[in-house]
Amino acid sequence: MHAYSERTIRSVPMLVAELAEVRARGWAVSEGEGLRPDDRGLAVPCFDSNGHVRFSLAIASTRKRLPPSRDKASLSRLTLAAREMSDALGLLGSDWAPISVADHASV
């Protein structure tokens, strides 16, 4: 695997560990993985009616415009938008609930 930065996932065990963290946290963050070292992004999953992730919704910017201090608000908005998109595409069951803002407290 080509390494774009020292943070690039370069092996299957690294990928498995990162996916486990993302799944436990409920959202993903990318820092310094874009074309520029200050690139930063957040992503949340969109679920189908069986609870499987069908796609993700992400925002990408720079660390200056999307600092960690804005994660809680950004994740709340992303999660709500993911719900609306999934609803519009008919992917959700009636019991689906987005991650609450309180769940982003660890941010």
Side-chain angles (χ1 to χ4, degrees), residues 1-99:
M1 297 178 158
H2 177 72
Y4 292 94
S5 76
E6 69 273 358
R7 294 179 158 203
T8 299
I9 295 171
R10 295 176 299 278
S11 68
V12 173
M14 287 175 74
L15 177 60
V16 170
E18 176 68 14
L19 290 173
E21 280 185 42
V22 169
R23 180 172 282 158
R25 190 173 52 229
W27 52 275
V29 62
S30 173
E31 298 196 55
E33 283 297 312
L35 297 174
R36 299 175 308 255
D38 68 333
D39 285 345
R40 189 163 192 279
L42 300 171
V44 297
C46 297
F47 297 94
D48 66 14
S49 59
N50 295 315
H52 299 119
V53 176
R54 296 294 296 230
F55 56 94
S56 63
L57 182 61
I59 55 173
S61 190
T62 62
R63 189 168 177 85
K64 182 178 180 179
R65 297 185 96 171
L66 184 62
S69 62
R70 295 187 62 192
D71 285 1
K72 186 174 181 177
S74 298
L75 288 165
S76 179
R77 290 182 177 140
L78 270 175
T79 301
L80 290 174
R83 167 64 192 250
E84 289 179 18
M85 289 177 67
S86 294
D87 278 344
L89 294 171
L91 299 175
L92 297 179
S94 59
D95 59 348
W96 189 90
I99 300 169

